[in-house]
Amino acid sequence: MVIDKKGLMIVLSSPSGVGKTTLTKKLAENNSHFVISISYTTRKPRPNEIDGKHYHFVTSKKFNDLIKKNDFYEYAEIFDNYYGTHKKTVNELLSKKKDVLFDIDWQGTQQLSKFKELNLLKIFILPPSKEELKKRLIQRNQDKLDVVEERLKAYDADSAHKKDYDFVVINDNLENCFKEVEKIILMKKNKK
């Protein structure tokens, strides 16, 4: 992949369970120039998650203090938890000429888009169908069935925001989706 000198902020968004986190990790693993932005969250860690690697897990009070200090590029409440992108962390990565990958929802993307000085590439990932999404959410076995239903209810509202993105990619097969996203990033990097 050809990389230019200016860092790019690559946003991957999708309804919950479509694969944006897996794609983000795969992009970072396959290109040392990419760094994943680690969000702050008030959510409790899942059993396999490590503070500072997967998220910065903080209390609601700490998160609110960061909001008051205007320390976030974006933040949102999703399923009763807050998530946010810390400005200082991202700016340090961009100053090192790294491309920063964001695994955030449409609310966060709208907030990032307000910063016109940021070099953003916004990609929305969709499943082949809502039925396939339900199957994936159940198979990943991370959430109780009531949480799966809550995520499915949010699907239509989340999907309606795909029009706000530069590209929409269907994740019918992880490897094909990965190649398509990588091709889009390469095209954007070479355009400049």
Side-chain angles (χ1 to χ4, degrees):
M1 196 177 269
V2 178
I3 302 295
D4 68 12
K5 292 181 174 137
K6 188 176 180 187
L8 180 64
M9 294 172 69
I10 303 152
V11 175
L12 293 180
S13 298
S14 72
S16 181
V18 174
K20 69 181 176 299
T21 302
T22 302
L23 284 165
T24 303
K25 288 177 186 173
K26 192 167 171 62
L27 285 164
E29 288 167 3
N30 284 279
N31 189 316
S32 62
H33 202 269
F34 290 163
V35 179
I36 298 172
S37 170
I38 301 170
S39 296
Y40 281 68
T41 185
T42 58
R43 173 172 74 65
K44 297 290 181 223
R46 292 180 178 139
N48 61 336
E49 292 178 326
I50 300 166
D51 185 48
K53 180 178 178 186
H54 299 100
Y55 288 96
H56 296 287
F57 296 100
V58 296
T59 64
S60 294
K61 183 188 179 329
K62 171 71 174 169
F63 199 95
N64 284 319
D65 289 345
L66 292 168
I67 291 171
K68 287 175 188 166
K69 290 189 213 169
N70 197 29
D71 282 352
F72 290 123
Y73 271 124
E74 60 82 25
Y75 65 91
E77 183 180 7
I78 305 161
F79 301 117
D80 300 323
N81 293 295
Y82 282 91
Y83 296 82
T85 300
H86 199 265
K87 288 180 182 177
K88 183 180 176 195
T89 307
V90 171
N91 291 340
E92 284 174 2
L93 291 169
L94 292 172
S95 73
K96 294 175 183 171
K97 312 262 190 281
K98 293 288 187 182
D99 292 316
V100 184
L101 296 164
F102 294 85
D103 168 0
I104 59 176
D105 79 330
W106 62 266
Q107 297 172 74
T109 303
Q110 283 183 341
Q111 291 176 55
L112 274 180
S113 296
K114 291 177 183 174
F115 292 89
K116 299 301 178 200
E117 72 277 10
L118 299 178
N119 188 15
L120 286 178
L121 171 61
K122 301 176 289 186
I123 304 170
F124 198 82
I125 311 297
L126 283 172
S129 67
K130 194 172 181 179
E131 294 73 29
E132 176 63 21
L133 176 61
K134 182 176 183 174
K135 188 172 115 185
R136 290 178 188 179
L137 285 169
I138 291 169
Q139 282 178 343
R140 82 177 183 179
N141 203 25
Q142 287 182 340
D143 301 307
K144 294 178 179 165
L145 283 178
D146 61 328
V147 175
V148 168
E149 288 304 319
E150 189 178 339
R151 292 178 190 278
L152 284 171
K153 282 181 191 168
Y155 172 82
D156 293 327
D158 291 345
S159 297
H161 293 277
K162 67 185 178 190
K163 66 185 181 332
D164 301 329
Y165 288 74
D166 303 314
F167 296 90
V168 176
V169 178
I170 305 297
N171 184 6
D172 57 347
N173 170 286
L174 183 64
E175 196 57 37
N176 291 343
C177 185
F178 168 73
K179 287 177 183 171
E180 183 66 21
V181 169
E182 198 174 45
K183 189 170 91 177
I184 290 167
I185 295 168
L186 179 61
M187 182 180 69
K188 171 76 172 177
K189 295 295 288 181
N190 286 333
K191 217 180 215 184
K192 299 180 342 176

